[in-house]
Amino acid sequence: MVSSTAENQPVFPSGTYGNGIRVIGKSTKFIVAGCVGISFLTLRNALVLNMVVGALGNAIFNKGLKRVINEARPDGAKKPDPGMPSSHACSLAFLSSYCLLALFTYLPPWWPSIAPPPVLAIVVLAYDYISLLYRYYSGLHTIPQLAVGSLVGVFNAVWWFILCYTKLTPEVDALLGEGGVPILYALGINAFGAIVLYRELRYKLMALLGLKS
């Protein structure tokens, strides 16, 4: 349930529940980016490479869609760019969907029995939901903007995973060989992904290069 003031501005729940939403919401981009980056640098296989490439394509597509739709964020939002569909929701939904599909399809033999895929799926979905609640309560997005962003992310993750499963992953694995993605390439792809996905980092880099934002 969500609550609003008379002016239709969302209000954070009080107590432990509201504090939990704040903690999870503020840390989401760091936790998700960290997990993706560490997974890629550790595994460096076709499955994770395709996830990273798909996530970047999904993010770029959503940013273009936002500019085409050009729907404003809620009144008083701190960010000036359009809000429909939510980039945060789109990226989170893509990564969560791709990872869960991969886990159900390629469950590794070393996976701990204490965390079966169905249980992990519930945890991931709950985490995503709380993260999106933070975006709503913070006044960054409306519920429709978050919902459409999530749908776009899920749709892109499903068709991209099917394409990877049926064609791309075996071919890329054969191309990479046993060594996987070279570590320097993996570092470069991670850096490029961070620049594409995070506005603050992109602006700092442009300022450092003397370019206008």
Side-chain angles (χ1 to χ4, degrees):
M1 293 292 292
V2 293
S3 57
S4 301
T5 64
E7 293 79 15
N8 203 32
Q9 293 293 324
V11 178
F12 264 102
S14 59
T16 304
Y17 179 55
N19 291 335
I21 292 176
R22 287 187 177 90
V23 170
I24 291 176
K26 289 181 178 180
S27 63
T28 297
K29 67 178 181 180
F30 303 107
I31 291 176
V32 172
C35 289
V36 171
I38 291 172
S39 297
F40 189 34
L41 292 175
T42 303
L43 299 175
R44 291 184 286 120
N45 58 22
L47 183 64
V48 183
L49 174 62
N50 288 336
M51 179 188 70
V52 173
V53 171
L56 290 175
N58 175 69
I60 293 171
F61 171 79
N62 192 78
K63 288 181 183 297
L65 191 59
K66 285 176 73 171
R67 294 189 180 278
V68 171
I69 297 175
N70 199 30
E71 179 180 294
R73 292 174 183 265
D75 292 339
K78 297 179 180 179
K79 296 183 178 181
D81 61 319
M84 170 67 85
S86 164
S87 296
H88 182 100
C90 186
S91 293
L92 191 60
F94 180 94
L95 290 168
S96 297
S97 299
Y98 186 100
C99 288
L100 290 175
L101 288 169
L103 191 60
F104 277 93
T105 306
Y106 301 100
L107 185 67
W110 48 262
W111 190 260
S113 58
I114 195 173
V119 173
L120 187 62
I122 294 173
V123 173
V124 169
L125 292 175
Y127 182 87
D128 289 358
Y129 176 71
I130 295 173
S131 176
L132 298 187
L133 278 182
Y134 172 78
R135 308 291 291 186
Y136 171 75
Y137 284 128
S138 298
L140 295 171
H141 288 289
T142 64
I143 291 178
Q145 290 170 353
L146 294 168
V148 173
S150 298
L151 289 175
V152 172
V154 170
F155 175 78
N156 285 337
V158 170
W159 75 258
W160 178 249
F161 181 83
I162 292 173
L163 177 62
C164 292
Y165 177 72
T166 56
K167 188 171 181 63
L168 294 182
T169 297
E171 292 185 359
V172 175
D173 259 331
L175 181 65
L176 292 175
E178 294 184 1
V181 179
I183 186 66
L184 290 179
Y185 288 7
L187 288 170
I189 293 171
N190 274 345
F192 177 73
I195 292 170
V196 170
L197 294 176
Y198 296 113
R199 180 200 315 270
E200 295 84 358
L201 182 59
R202 189 163 64 249
Y203 285 175
K204 288 180 180 178
L205 179 62
M206 293 177 72
L208 184 63
L209 297 175
L211 302 174
K212 294 182 178 180
S213 60

